[in-house]
Amino acid sequence: MLLDTWVADEMADPDFGDVRLNKRLVTLLAQLTAQPTQSLPQACGTWAATKAAYRFMDSAKVTPQGIRDAHHHAVLERGRRLERTLLLQDTTDLDFTHHPQTKGLGPLGATAAQGLKVHSGLLVSDTGVPLGLLTQSVWARSADDKGKSRDWRKRPIEDKESRKWLVCLDALKRELPPNRRCVVIGDREADLYPLFAAARSENTDLLVRAAYNRRIDAESHTLTAALAAAPVVGTRTLSLRSRDGRPAREAVLEVRFTTVTLVPPAYYKGKYPAVTLCVIEARETSPPLGENALHWRLLTTLAVTDFEGACQCLDWYSHRWMIEQYHRTLKSGCQIEALQLETAVRLQVALALYCLVAWRLLWLTYEARRVPNASCATVLQPQEWQALYCSIHRTPTPPQKPPSLREAVRWIAQLGGFLARKGDGEPGVQTLWRGMQRLHDLAEMWKLLHTSQTYG
């Protein structure tokens, strides 16, 4: 990829208080992006470069937030071009149990697993193109906290892990331009009364999948009863992606919506006011044999007044799976859990770097779908697209004109195992990350064999 140009633009203003560290950030990120599936020494290429990477991660001046802050400017700049963006949130575990010597880890769940908890906020366009990582919280649980979940209701939100859902609201208050809107999207874990009651900027809304049959201030008394009384306003066909071995399919959903006023749970009585929200239900009435019916109940601060508005919310929520894909790319594509870096401090710096690599892979996948006819020269160096073309077409002579972005991405995916058959659709990020490594090797060999040619 045009790594020097892209990384320099993306990390235009790092500030570690040391010019050498700023330059090392750009160099290291370019190395990791070129070979996302490789270990750190393999990506760096030499022992000297690897030692420089370790020194960078050990520097007291280098922090994970400092790396993310350098990325934020570019993320927000892409978002400023859009009238509305979506902020997708989710939590994942990084399991380092197989590296027992690593210091600073904590327990994961009820098992003996050790690692880090990661909560990410990925900013995407309202059509589903990832713009970059906007917020991220990383922490290690303390073994002393085990069992405290039994009294979680008695503790304020500030003392719970669930405060992670409110962090993004503060970030959006600080950084979202007042003339741009953002919808914060979360799954059932985000169904938290303090989140609905939290102060938000006027240009920020929530869209959360309901987990509880909450009490409401109405004769129907509960959320379920209120939805049952609401009329079906239309049907919506939603395309479901393949998942867990199940094929992709079309789901026909009955849609209804209503406005409700939630009553604070008893354990929050007197602390939070009642909250008025719209609730949308989408229910599949006739799923295929052997398939579970799709059933979403979405709570939102958006004003939903008609069928089209309800469908818009369903479309936006359907992009939520991208944050799961992002975390999967980070773990399976970038192999973050295979890192052996001795301390959680080093791991968190490496995580901040690989989070940008994972976003770039995800962005390339969807950018090729958004602007398929754009020139691949916007993301690939001449030696890269030329080596790619000649490898795929089994020819020693590349064309004069760069191929399209869609063609190039499909060819990279073919290097990673994508079959490109007529009914295969567009490649996913998994075959892309596999193909990126082979493309790097092909491009390096191409440069050696064409040393007399000038690339620029």
Side-chain angles (χ1 to χ4, degrees), residues 3 24 98 166 270 299 324 344 369 373 380 440:
L3 294 179
R24 178 56 56 185
H98 50 297
L166 281 72
L299 293 164
E324 297 180 12
R369 301 177 188 181
N373 296 321
L380 297 179
H440 172 79

Side-chain angles (χ1 to χ4, degrees), residues 202-237:
E202 290 185 1
N203 56 351
T204 301
D205 284 292
L206 302 174
L207 181 61
V208 173
R209 188 173 178 184
Y212 307 109
N213 184 22
R214 293 190 177 275
R215 292 189 305 127
I216 64 173
D217 184 12
E219 291 184 6
S220 52
H221 299 301
T222 67
L223 196 61
T224 298
L227 280 169
V232 173
V233 292
T235 60
R236 176 74 168 185
T237 300

Side-chain angles (χ1 to χ4, degrees), residues 39-168:
S39 68
L40 187 63
Q42 288 173 317
C44 292
T46 66
W47 175 231
T50 303
K51 286 196 296 183
Y54 289 145
R55 286 196 299 269
F56 177 84
M57 294 178 186
D58 282 333
S59 173
K61 296 180 179 179
V62 176
T63 64
Q65 189 57 47
I67 296 172
R68 290 191 287 266
D69 286 344
H71 171 60
H72 283 172
H73 175 77
V75 176
L76 292 169
E77 189 60 33
R78 286 186 285 270
R80 284 190 183 96
R81 304 170 192 167
L82 306 172
E83 183 178 341
R84 190 187 303 269
T85 54
L86 311 176
L87 186 65
L88 314 178
Q89 293 194 82
D90 199 21
T91 307
T92 192
D93 292 345
L94 297 184
D95 190 341
F96 295 103
T97 306
H98 50 297
H99 300 314
Q101 301 305 315
T102 302
K103 300 175 183 177
L105 303 178
L108 298 175
T111 67
Q114 295 284 306
L116 298 171
K117 305 286 288 185
V118 179
H119 184 82
S120 304
L122 185 70
L123 196 70
V124 307
S125 72
D126 58 2
T127 57
V129 176
L131 305 176
L133 185 70
L134 187 63
T135 66
Q136 189 170 73
S137 301
V138 185
W139 69 97
R141 284 175 169 169
S142 170
D144 297 336
D145 290 337
K146 194 171 183 179
K148 287 187 178 181
S149 59
R150 289 191 296 270
D151 63 349
W152 66 271
R153 290 180 173 178
K154 299 178 182 178
R155 290 184 287 147
I157 188 71
E158 295 77 14
D159 294 339
K160 303 177 187 178
E161 283 188 358
S162 51
R163 66 182 180 277
K164 62 194 179 185
W165 296 99
L166 281 72
V167 170
C168 74

